[in-house]
Amino acid sequence: MIPLELTDGETKFDRAEAPLSIFLEWAERARTENAQQRLYVAQAPLNRLPKPMQDDLPTPELVTRTGKGDVYDASIWLGVAPTYTPLHRDPNPNLYLQLAGRKVIRLLKPDAGQAVFDGVQVALGSKVSSRFRGEEMMKGREKSLLKASIWSSKTTQDGEKIEGFEETLDAGQSMFIPEGWWHSVKSVGTGCTGSVNWWFR
């Protein structure tokens, strides 16, 4: 069983545990049909994949030799473009590797990302923690505002210029995301996308 996210436009988001075969069957249909509902294997722990898949995704030496050499978690992300992950930050350093397809990552320093997040919360009339994020960032007005703020705008809700980086990753390319740096990820193009990442300490 792996975690699957089901989305339908900007308003519906559900998460469930299901066999990998459910996603694979949907992905085959989605390649030829214009599916409104989207399935995404999001943050599926590598150790829950079939053994042959785990063997194909060994922890990179860079991860085991950096810091304490302690892998906090490792996950795979599978989808059919377009996919999207809202602006967030992780509590550990992250090595992100693109396996298939193409993804664009927008990366912001901690203070720049916090300014974008705070501006969205002001626009929502909300005050929630940026440390613990859940389904609220995956649907509705918060998702729309985060997406517009990071992908469509060059300024925060307060008119401040957004300082950040953007990188496009093709299959075989990777990116290091430092601890606490804000990032948003979307796939571009068509077809299947796959990524794997290792959070380490």
Side-chain angles (χ1 to χ4, degrees), residues 3 6 15 28 30 39-40 43 49 103 121 166:
L6 171 67
R15 188 163 220 197
E28 187 61 35
L39 278 182
Y40 190 49
Q43 204 169 327
L49 295 175
K103 286 190 178 173
Q121 294 308 309
E166 178 177 305

Side-chain angles (χ1 to χ4, degrees), residues 86-88 107-124 130 142 145-151 153-164 182 184:
L87 184 68
H88 68 286
L107 184 66
L108 285 74
K109 292 180 181 178
D111 57 342
Q114 188 68 51
V116 171
F117 178 82
D118 289 345
V120 166
Q121 294 308 309
V122 167
L124 290 169
S130 62
E142 181 169 339
L145 287 173
L146 283 171
K147 192 172 189 178
S149 292
I150 196 66
W151 294 102
S153 179
K154 300 291 185 205
T155 61
T156 66
Q157 297 284 330
D158 296 331
E160 298 289 320
K161 184 177 180 200
I162 297 174
E163 301 277 339
W182 293 76
S184 182

